[in-house]
Amino acid sequence: MKIYRVGGAVRDKLLGRAVKDIDYVVVGATVGEMLRLGYRAVGKDFPVFLHPKTNEEYALARTERKTAPGYHGFAFNTDPSVTLEDDLGRRDLTINAMAEDEDGKLIDPHHGAADVRDRVLRHVSPAFAEDPVRVLRVARFLARFAPLGFRVADETRELMRDMVAAGEVEHLVPERVWAELRKALGEPTPSAFLDCLRACGALRVVLPEIDALYGVPQRAEYHPEIDTGVHTQMVIDMAARLAPGDDLIGFCALTHDLGKALTPVEELPRHIMHEERGVAPLRAVAERLRVPNEHADLAILSCRLHLLAHRALELRPQTVLELFEKLDAFRKPQRLVQFLTVCEADKRGRLGCAESDYPQGEFLRAAFVATMDVKAVPFVEQGLQGPAIAEAQRKARVQAITDIMPPRGEADA
């Protein structure tokens, strides 16, 4: 029995990145041997074990054979005769198909180290085409590594196009699409995920509501980048900058303008009521991909209310309070913080605006603090009861917002 460190840990070591999760492949062992050594079996589709002391994952070396369309259509072979080279050969990208032995010696049959050096994402073998999830994984790895200068190899991009044309991507189950999208939105450059999927034709299959935004014009005085799809990419990248690794903020940023794809042609480049039009396609995405309720709820609020945030310095104090109430911010104050992060990403995710301030966010945060300082206790002490207490508190909150509203000239600046 021999044990090798494999995959991302080897790749990240060559890249000089911090190694977080370490996976191991075990060659020449059986399930029974692993259990006798104290490893705990956790794999469903194929034998994966947790180390009895470190809880790190150890998988038996395996090969796989395509038996049906889609992600689940595989038969696995984990016989002790399967070699390390056999196991590495079934992996997706060359940079993920390297191993290290116990002495730190690199085993690299597919020249992954050279592709790390040259910053290339390249498929290992034609078997790549058998698993449609790999299209999403390549796009996600590009979202992670684009800042380092990585690109997708021409032959890999062509193979991905062929997979889309063959209908393989249509067999992806919603859970896998969401899992990869969620991870991509937590990467440094999520726009690269959309770019990659769009280039091979997969975006219109897995996220048609996003694909529909490309080519839709916006008013140049507000959006110098013009194209709504380009704006969406800039917003999700800004969201990744403002809230690194936060896929909740990323999903809200991704979906905030879906209504612009539904604007009647005769109204373009204006987008009247796009915030309301966007709710239906957003719900469709959330339901189809089985997006968590927390993500769907905040995304819908961001879609509906982001223009109110942008106009915060022009709103009546009562409307500002209503914004807080619609967000349920008095029960969930963190939601206001998240919402304003999405709105700031939207405002700064425009050509030439990346370093601009967002005074609306500063004002709304200050206004919320002021309203939170208005407690019900004084009104109870005055003898008010029931609805009268809530009404008095509400009036006092409106006054608290009024007291910190900037002068109109400053608001218009």
Side-chain angles (χ1 to χ4, degrees):
M1 185 175 83
K2 292 186 177 181
I3 296 175
Y4 300 88
R5 180 183 294 188
V6 295
V10 181
R11 175 200 67 221
D12 289 345
K13 180 180 177 181
L14 291 179
L15 283 169
R17 293 165 60 95
V19 175
K20 297 180 180 178
D21 298 321
I22 303 177
D23 295 321
Y24 297 89
V25 158
V26 182
V27 176
T30 65
V31 172
E33 288 175 297
M34 297 296 286
L35 294 176
R36 282 194 295 274
L37 290 170
Y39 289 83
R40 302 190 307 279
V42 295
K44 294 180 180 179
D45 297 323
F46 44 82
V48 177
F49 304 86
L50 297 182
H51 190 280
K53 294 182 179 179
T54 66
N55 280 326
E56 292 175 321
E57 285 195 359
Y58 288 70
L60 294 185
R62 70 181 188 269
T63 58
E64 51 196 38
R65 177 173 53 85
K66 186 74 167 175
T67 58
Y71 170 70
H72 292 292
F74 289 92
F76 299 97
N77 173 30
T78 57
D79 188 84
S81 64
V82 175
T83 67
L84 174 65
E85 288 72 18
D86 292 335
D87 183 273
L88 296 177
R90 61 149 183 97
R91 294 174 181 265
D92 51 5
L93 299 172
T94 60
I95 65 169
N96 297 329
M98 297 179 285
E100 273 187 353
D101 65 15
E102 294 175 340
D103 297 321
K105 179 185 175 183
L106 183 68
I107 297 94
D108 182 20
H110 303 287
H111 312 292
D115 283 340
V116 167
R117 181 195 65 221
D118 297 337
R119 303 303 197 243
V120 177
L121 301 178
R122 190 191 317 275
H123 65 283
V124 171
S125 77
F128 178 98
E130 296 177 349
D131 185 355
V133 172
R134 290 176 169 178
V135 172
L136 301 180
R137 280 175 56 83
V138 170
R140 173 166 62 83
F141 279 120
L142 193 61
R144 180 184 303 176
F145 293 132
L148 300 181
F150 273 81
R151 61 179 178 83
V152 179
D154 292 342
E155 60 270 29
T156 301
R157 196 180 298 277
E158 189 60 37
L159 182 57
M160 292 164 66
R161 290 194 191 101
D162 292 343
M163 293 170 67
V164 174
E168 273 289 326
V169 175
E170 296 169 15
H171 293 284
L172 285 167
V173 296
E175 292 85 354
R176 290 312 301 259
V177 175
W178 170 244
E180 295 299 324
L181 173 61
R182 185 174 196 170
K183 291 174 184 176
L185 291 171
E187 299 292 1
T189 317
S191 64
F193 179 81
L194 299 186
D195 263 339
C196 185
L197 293 184
R198 190 162 176 255
C200 70
L203 189 63
R204 67 174 178 269
V205 179
V206 296
L207 287 170
E209 298 85 355
I210 302 298
D211 189 66
L213 296 173
Y214 290 89
V216 176
Q218 303 166 106
R219 293 173 64 180
E221 63 267 38
Y222 299 118
H223 289 277
E225 71 283 354
I226 307 294
D227 190 296
T228 306
V230 173
H231 168 59
T232 299
Q233 292 191 182
M234 297 175 76
V235 174
I236 58 177
D237 281 355
M238 181 56 66
R241 174 177 162 184
L242 296 175
D246 193 328
D247 58 82
L248 171 59
I249 301 298
F251 182 70
C252 296
L254 176 70
T255 56
H256 80 286
D257 265 352
L258 291 186
K260 290 183 176 179
L262 303 177
T263 300
V265 174
E266 61 272 16
E267 292 182 11
L268 295 174
R270 302 176 70 204
H271 292 278
I272 302 168
M273 295 298 292
H274 76 274
E275 61 273 31
E276 283 301 323
R277 286 192 180 114
V279 173
L282 204 166
R283 288 191 193 279
V285 172
E287 290 173 10
R288 185 176 71 251
L289 300 186
R290 300 171 192 173
V291 172
N293 290 338
E294 181 186 18
H295 288 63
D297 292 346
L298 184 59
I300 289 170
L301 288 169
S302 299
C303 180
R304 278 187 165 140
L305 302 175
H306 66 276
L307 290 190
L308 272 180
H310 296 337
R311 293 173 45 229
L313 300 177
E314 308 160 19
L315 299 177
R316 294 181 300 118
Q318 183 174 339
T319 307
V320 173
L321 180 60
E322 289 170 356
L323 172 61
F324 298 154
E325 291 169 343
K326 289 174 180 175
L327 290 167
D328 198 13
F330 294 111
R331 288 197 315 120
K332 303 174 181 177
Q334 183 61 23
R335 181 176 277 181
L336 177 66
V337 176
Q338 295 165 330
F339 168 72
L340 292 178
T341 303
V342 176
C343 294
E344 182 174 352
D346 176 33
K347 202 68 174 179
R348 294 173 62 182
R350 310 178 189 207
L351 195 63
C353 298
E355 305 305 323
S356 60
D357 294 327
Y358 190 57
Q360 297 93 327
E362 295 176 14
F363 164 67
L364 287 171
R365 282 188 284 270
F368 183 67
V369 170
T371 58
M372 287 291 284
D373 285 340
V374 178
K375 308 298 183 184
V377 174
F379 305 113
V380 175
E381 293 173 346
Q382 291 173 23
L384 297 181
Q385 296 180 352
I389 297 173
E391 181 59 26
Q393 186 179 28
R394 199 168 190 279
K395 287 182 179 178
R397 282 174 167 170
V398 169
Q399 186 58 52
I401 296 170
T402 302
D403 292 343
I404 67 168
M405 286 289 291
R408 176 60 61 179
E410 183 179 338
D412 292 340

